[in-house]
Every structure is written in C-alpha cells, then in structure tokens.
Amino acid sequence: MRAHIVTYGCQMNEYDTHAIRSELAGIGYSFVDSYKEADLVLVNTCAVRGKPVEKAQTLLGELRKEKRQRGNLTIGLIGCLAQLPEGQRMGKRFNVDIMLGPGAITQIVPAIERGRFQSFEFDNELRFYSPPPPTGSVSAHLTIMRGCNHRCTYCIVPTTRGPEVSRHAEDILNEARALADAGVVEVTLLGQNVNSYGLEPGTGVRRARLEGYPSFAELLRMVGRVGIPRVRFVTSHPINFDDDIIEAIADTPAVCRYIHLPVQSGSDRVLKRMAREYTRDFYLNRIKKIREFLPDAVISTDIIAGFPGETDEDFEETLSLYREVQYDMSYMFIYSEREGTPAANHFDDMPREVKARRLARLADLAKEISLERNQEWVNHKVEVLVQGPFDEEGMSLGHTRGNHVAVIAGNLDPGIHQAVVAHATPNRLYCIEALEDAMLDSTV
Ligand code: SAH
Ligand code: SF4
Ligand code: F3S
C-alpha cells in the first residue's frame, strides 16, 4: 500500500503530517512522491487565506480525474479546510472518501479503515499525538497546544482549530527528551498562541493554579534543560507576551533569541477593527522591553495589508511602526476575506489593486531594512544549523539561531557549525565556516 501526502499551511500542519506518516507506516504504508503511484492520497489543507484553498481545489480536481480513470484511489481531505462548510462542500463535489478536521486528526487510521469517516467535533482527548522523532532531520516540531481563544476578526483559525487546549507538560517533556535522545538539534514548540499555554479551556483561567500546569515561561525553562541545543517557539500574541517570558528567554541559553511577534497593523483604528486587543503603544512597549532584556534579539512579524476600512493614513502608520521596530524579517499578506469571519460579515473588502499596491510598498521597506540589519552581521560570527546541500555546487544551506537563512561554503554535514558572515542580502547571510581559534563571542 502506497500513500502520498500533500501539506499546505503552517508548521502545525507539517507536524500533523509527520505524525500521520508515522501512523500510516505503522499499518504498513510506504510513501511515494507522486499521486500517480499512490493508493491513498491525503491532502492536509489550510484555509487561512484564499490561495491555499484554491491550491487544494485544483489538486482535488486532478485527483478526481485520476480516480475516475483507474477507479482504485482513496482520497482524503483533511486539516483546516475539512472543518469548514466550504471544505465540506468541496469534499462532496470532488467525491473524496475521507474527511477529517484537525480536531480529530489522531483518528486517521480508523478513518482509512472505515472509509468515509467524518468527525468534526473537537474532542480534547483526540487532539494530540506523540509521534516518534523524525528520521534524517536535525530539526523537529513539537505541538504544545492547539486552537485559539482570540477572535481576530479576519481570522478563520479559531473556527478550524477550535478553542485552545494545552497538552500536558509531562507529555511535552517526554517528547522533547525523545528528540534529544534521537540527536535532534533544534525543536520548535508550536501553537497558535504559545504564550497562553496552560490556560483552562473555556474560562481562560491559568491552569497552573488548578492542576499543576506550568506557565509558558516555566515550560520554556523546562524544555531548555532537556539537552536540545536550540529551542524555538511560534507563534506569540503581543497581549500574552508577558515579562516572565522575556526573562525566561534571557535566562535559558538553549532558547533562541528569535521572537516572532505578529503586529498585523500599526494603526490603532485598524487594530481595533481587527480585535487584536492591544494598541500601537502597547506593542511598541513590548518591543522596548524585549530590546532592553535581549539586546541581540532577532524580531520578525506578520502584517496584513488592506484590511477593510484601512485608509492611506492607517497604512502609513504601519510603515512608520515597521521603521521604528526595525524588524529583521517579516511575513506580509494581502487581506483575504474568509467566509464566516466577523470581518467578512461586517466589513466591505477593498479593491485588490489597492491592497496589492500597499503590500508592494511594505515589501520594499522590509527589503531595505532587512538588508541594513543583515549587513550588520558581516564579519561577525554566527552559529549555523546546516540542514543539507544548497542548490549551488559546493554550498550548504542552514539557518542561524536568529532564524536568518544562511548559505555556507563547503559540503558540510548536517548539524551545528560556527561561521563568519562574509556577505549579506535582504534574505540571506552568506558565510564561511570559522576555525576554532577564530571564534568571537556571539549568541545569534
Ligand atoms: N496564531 C498566529 C498565526 C495565525 S495565521 C498569530 O496569531 O499570529 C498567520 C498569519 O496569517 C496571521 O498572523 C495573519 O497575518 C495572517 N492572516 C490570518 N488571516 C488572514 C486573512 N484573512 N487574510 C490575510 N492574512 C491573514
Ligand atoms: Fe487567528 Fe488571531 Fe488566533 Fe492568531 S491570535 S490564530 S490571528 S484569531
Ligand atoms: Fe492554515 Fe490551519 Fe495553519 S488554516 S495556517 S493550516 S492552523
């Protein structure tokens, strides 16, 4: 039996795919690179913006054709899109065999065995795997919580992933220890909003007080002691990014000083309409605190261009915030209306050209600032985690503790290498491996 899995979306989906692969391997599946050779195709979908939904739709069209031609293909539509009415309509239209939302993703094996199995209830018992460490990879993901209790008006994730549920700390630590034993060098703790780890589902009361769950800051310190040299985490919400988290990062050498703190907009008016729960000043204060305790931190963000009602002045405020923070890197998106979200229900979308023009301006600014920030690294030492060969002959590809993409001369073994930055572009640091005695002090 041969399976092919296609994954769209965020790192949570990549983690789920990894877990599903190990479950399928357990019942005798091998994996192939093309759906043409597969008996089972799973499409692990994302619904956060229009683009990944269109991609899934195109693929399902091709799969329906393939199935008609040969008759013996099982198709599964799983993940975030499967949880939505839009995805369920698509599943019927393209005649898929299995539909499974992310709330019951651990039911994949019974779903395959029973055929058309659908589960769209969020069952907290069914939400977490403990997959074995990945083979042949120096990095791994580790989900610590699922779902989101925020209600950003543009966002479909609370609907697809349901309310927040935190995984028990002991399970997290066991999985981290297994990764350390397997020689994994970098672990990324995953959740939609990892900062609120340990809150009681529904009430939002800190669970630690109720039943011995640590806070996120405490959890960071615990995972930091397991023996994995690099510990990262995504994503943070500014409103939950408390001082104790900054202190834990500062105190724990294994925790990378890389902070992804999505701002979405620099305008208070837009932030309010987005229901982001903070103001521009509050956000800038968080950045100030980070810079104070972690002067060498690398900071990145997410920004949405063209949220409904965003004026030119609002957008200028986003650009000015960007300049003020001096982000090292960023992820920028054109607002994409999502069926069923409060923004789609209450606000009017704006012409695509306006959104695209704003995104282009933001991208230009981001490029300029990233280049300046990256050039500051030239002639400085960085730690590069090499993952494998780079496209160009005789070069290897990796990333720094600060999450810069790093290209390093030589065919180096996967793992940690000390290097010096020779040249920088907006998206990359080009490095040469450093000799032991040439090492300077650096944390990034
Ligand atoms: N929980 C994380 C990630 C959410 S999705 C967080 O709160 O940051 C990742 C990013 O996608 C968001 O930060 C946001 O910038 C973007 N995004 C979400 N919904 C969107 C939409 N409808 N249109 C455009 N971008 C969106
Ligand atoms: Fe979406 Fe907001 Fe939750 Fe992030 S915090 S997943 S943007 S609702
Ligand atoms: Fe997409 Fe679901 Fe992640 S909607 S971004 S795959 S949580």
Side-chain angles (χ1 to χ4, degrees):
M1 293 184 304
R2 286 164 306 182
H4 175 65
I5 312 181
V6 179
T7 311
Y8 301 116
C10 61
Q11 289 161 313
M12 309 277 292
N13 265 12
E14 284 170 25
Y15 177 87
D16 286 347
T17 290
H18 163 64
I20 289 168
R21 280 176 76 97
S22 53
E23 297 258 309
L24 293 187
I27 56 166
Y29 275 92
S30 61
F31 297 92
V32 288
D33 292 334
S34 159
Y35 68 73
K36 300 255 176 214
E37 296 155 26
D39 310 298
L40 168 71
V41 182
L42 296 178
V43 189
N44 194 2
T45 55
C46 171
V48 79
R49 284 173 291 275
K51 236 187 217 155
V53 175
E54 285 160 25
K55 279 192 193 159
Q57 188 164 336
T58 307
L59 179 59
L60 288 172
E62 289 173 27
L63 293 174
R64 179 173 61 183
K65 212 166 125 198
E66 179 80 8
K67 187 174 175 175
R68 277 187 190 143
Q69 277 166 4
R70 52 175 164 122
N72 63 343
L73 177 66
T74 304
I75 304 170
L77 167 57
I78 62 171
C80 286
L81 185 55
Q83 190 70 30
L84 301 173
E86 188 183 8
Q88 289 162 23
R89 289 194 300 267
M90 219 181 267
K92 286 202 187 86
R93 182 144 65 91
F94 290 102
N95 198 17
V96 308
D97 304 287
I98 300 159
M99 293 262 282
L100 205 58
I105 204 85
T106 51
Q107 296 303 288
I108 190 72
V109 170
I112 292 166
E113 285 170 351
R114 272 182 242 166
R116 188 176 275 279
F117 174 99
Q118 309 198 4
S119 170
F120 301 102
E121 296 300 312
F122 288 106
D123 183 331
N124 294 345
E125 298 304 311
L126 301 181
R127 293 223 260 172
F128 296 110
Y129 286 106
S130 275
T135 45
S137 172
V138 283
S139 296
H141 294 141
L142 203 176
T143 292
I144 65 165
M145 48 98 68
R146 295 179 79 110
C148 180
N149 283 358
H150 290 283
R151 288 289 174 272
C152 306
T153 52
Y154 51 80
C155 186
I156 199 70
V157 172
T159 314
T160 63
R161 295 253 166 186
E164 269 175 28
V165 184
S166 294
R167 191 171 172 197
H168 202 281
E170 210 38 53
D171 292 343
I172 296 170
L173 290 171
N174 283 337
E175 198 167 317
R177 286 182 200 116
L179 294 174
D181 291 345
V184 163
V185 179
E186 177 180 74
V187 63
T188 305
L189 307 181
L190 296 181
Q192 289 304 336
N193 175 17
V194 287
N195 307 156
S196 64
Y197 171 83
L199 299 189
E200 170 100 270
T203 65
V205 171
R206 185 159 288 294
R207 266 185 129 163
R209 297 204 192 104
L210 304 163
E211 47 189 288
Y213 274 72
S215 67
F216 179 64
E218 289 158 345
L219 185 72
L220 261 187
R221 291 174 194 266
M222 290 169 164
V223 178
R225 284 196 293 266
V226 161
I228 301 173
R230 286 185 176 192
V231 177
R232 316 178 162 282
F233 58 93
V234 278
T235 297
S236 298
H237 191 298
I239 201 76
N240 305 110
F241 202 77
D242 297 333
D243 289 357
D244 63 340
I245 299 174
I246 303 175
E247 284 161 19
I249 301 169
D251 290 350
T252 316
V255 176
C256 294
R257 293 168 173 213
Y258 165 68
I259 295 163
H260 181 59
L261 201 61
V263 67
Q264 314 298 358
S265 168
S267 151
D268 279 341
R269 221 178 56 88
V270 176
L271 287 171
K272 196 157 189 195
R273 284 161 75 90
M274 287 176 164
R276 282 294 285 180
E277 303 167 50
Y278 54 82
T279 60
R280 176 189 173 104
D281 271 358
F282 180 92
Y283 183 90
L284 287 173
N285 242 308
R286 291 290 80 209
I287 297 289
K288 204 169 137 206
K289 200 84 188 192
I290 293 168
R291 298 262 187 239
E292 195 180 307
F293 280 82
L294 306 163
D296 52 0
V298 172
I299 304 179
S300 65
T301 200
D302 290 351
I303 294 180
I304 297 177
F307 184 74
E310 181 187 73
T311 62
D312 285 339
E313 292 74 41
D314 291 322
F315 187 66
E316 290 301 326
E317 291 195 39
T318 297
L319 296 175
S320 87
L321 177 130
Y322 201 105
R323 277 194 205 94
E324 194 163 337
V325 177
Q326 293 278 303
Y327 290 109
D328 293 275
M329 47 197 105
S330 54
Y331 303 87
M332 296 161 275
F333 310 101
I334 281 185
Y335 171 71
S336 168
E337 191 174 273
R338 303 284 75 220
E339 181 184 310
T341 57
N345 292 340
H346 301 296
F347 304 139
D348 289 331
D349 205 354
M350 69 174 79
R352 201 181 155 79
E353 307 83 73
V354 181
K355 297 193 277 190
R357 216 179 306 133
R358 287 184 187 163
L359 185 81
R361 279 192 66 199
L362 186 58
D364 284 346
L365 176 67
K367 202 169 158 188
E368 183 190 314
I369 293 178
S370 289
L371 179 62
E372 278 169 25
R373 304 270 310 165
N374 285 354
Q375 277 174 340
E376 284 171 23
W377 285 103
V378 172
N379 292 330
H380 284 79
K381 206 194 88 182
V382 287
E383 182 196 287
V384 179
L385 175 56
V386 169
Q387 281 164 305
F390 182 58
D391 298 345
E392 277 169 50
E393 193 67 12
M395 306 274 233
S396 304
L397 183 67
H399 53 278
T400 67
R401 290 185 73 88
N403 219 23
H404 306 95
V405 175
V407 175
I408 178 164
N411 294 314
L412 306 181
D413 291 335
I416 289 177
H417 295 260
Q418 306 301 330
V420 172
V421 179
H423 172 68
T425 65
N427 325 316
R428 277 186 199 145
L429 301 181
Y430 288 85
C431 313
I432 357 180
E433 199 170 13
L435 301 169
E436 285 294 321
D437 55 5
M439 282 182 193
L440 313 164
D441 270 350
S442 168
T443 47
V444 176

